Amino acid sequence: LMRSIDYYQNFNCNIFIADSSIEKLSYEFPDNVNYIHLPGLSFVKKILEVVENVKTPYVCMSADDDYLLESSLQAGERFLDCNLNYVSVQGRYLGFEVVENQVIFTPKYSQLSSCYAVTNEDILARVVRAYNPYTPQVYSIHRTELFIKSYRSCVDVTTCWIVELTTILVPMCYGKHKVLPILWMARDSHKF
């Protein structure tokens, strides 16, 4: 988490940390980082607690071992501004780890190629396409209103991977999704 805060402190956007751990983090946060302590709340409830107060048209979630690129978020925002029939967009992912004092990068989610898109006009066809092959959309940039609807639809689900699978359904009922041919995020692949 501390490494993430250091990384995101110079981003030109608001960063929200939804912390559901029992102990509150005592730290002087940068101006763009908003820390919200929500002890004991489930994953979905803590996300909703934070995102329901977001006033921007777009929202993007990131785990504390993932590092989004600010330029890619800006590209995603521009894409959604220009393509109103799309509800979310993302790019390519790389994993990284330190091996013998070298940082090694490897592609993550190989199905996330630059040609992956859910562009069907029919709602059912979009839902089927989103799951065939299944492509995670959880760390995409989303239209805030639909992101909130998605998470409200699974407020009582407690298993994170089921939440990830479920939250694709609502957005695909409203519009399309695309993977842009850009680096979106680097994920720490270190195995604990």
Side-chain angles (χ1 to χ4, degrees):
L1 177 58
M2 303 312 289
R3 188 171 61 174
S4 292
I5 293 168
D6 184 56
Y7 175 78
Y8 288 116
Q9 71 180 337
N10 295 316
F11 273 45
N12 186 24
C13 62
N14 289 317
I15 307 295
F16 292 89
I17 298 171
D19 181 9
S20 57
S21 63
I22 300 303
E23 290 188 38
K24 185 175 183 177
L25 183 61
S26 179
Y27 183 76
E28 189 169 325
F29 295 94
D31 290 341
N32 68 327
V33 176
N34 302 281
Y35 176 80
I36 302 163
H37 188 233
L38 304 161
L41 278 187
S42 71
F43 173 75
V44 173
K45 289 179 181 176
K46 76 176 179 179
I47 298 303
L48 280 171
E49 183 73 26
V50 171
V51 79
E52 285 179 336
N53 294 306
V54 169
K55 305 295 182 214
T56 58
Y58 308 114
V59 64
C60 185
M61 190 165 58
S62 176
D64 62 5
D65 59 349
D66 294 340
Y67 301 90
L68 293 158
L69 276 70
E70 185 175 18
S71 60
S72 296
L73 289 171
Q74 292 165 348
E77 179 183 22
R78 285 189 303 272
F79 179 87
L80 291 174
D81 282 345
C82 294
N83 296 278
L84 299 179
N85 55 345
Y86 282 79
V87 295
S88 56
V89 66
Q90 66 194 103
R92 297 177 181 167
Y93 296 72
L94 285 178
F96 70 90
E97 61 184 317
V98 177
V99 178
E100 298 178 7
N101 294 324
Q102 287 189 314
V103 178
I104 307 297
F105 290 95
T106 54
K108 300 284 288 180
Y109 312 118
S110 60
Q111 71 270 32
L112 290 179
S113 66
S114 60
C115 62
Y116 181 84
V118 180
T119 59
N120 309 73
E121 295 300 328
D122 176 70
I123 292 171
L124 181 59
R126 278 197 306 270
V127 169
V128 169
R129 173 66 174 123
Y131 289 98
N132 187 24
Y134 169 68
T135 301
Q137 296 179 16
V138 68
Y139 298 122
S140 303
I141 187 171
H142 301 266
R143 296 190 187 278
T144 303
E145 176 185 334
L146 293 176
F147 184 91
I148 292 169
K149 284 183 181 183
S150 294
Y151 278 77
R152 283 182 183 158
S153 73
C154 59
V155 73
D156 293 319
V157 178
T158 56
T159 306
C160 285
W161 64 270
I162 292 180
V163 170
E164 185 176 313
L165 291 171
T166 304
T167 54
I168 293 176
L169 292 172
V170 171
M172 291 300 92
C173 291
Y174 287 87
K176 302 173 182 181
H177 175 80
K178 182 168 180 66
V179 174
L180 300 175
I182 59 175
L183 178 60
W184 189 254
M185 174 190 289
R187 171 166 289 169
D188 188 344
S189 299
H190 180 74
K191 308 289 187 249
F192 292 95

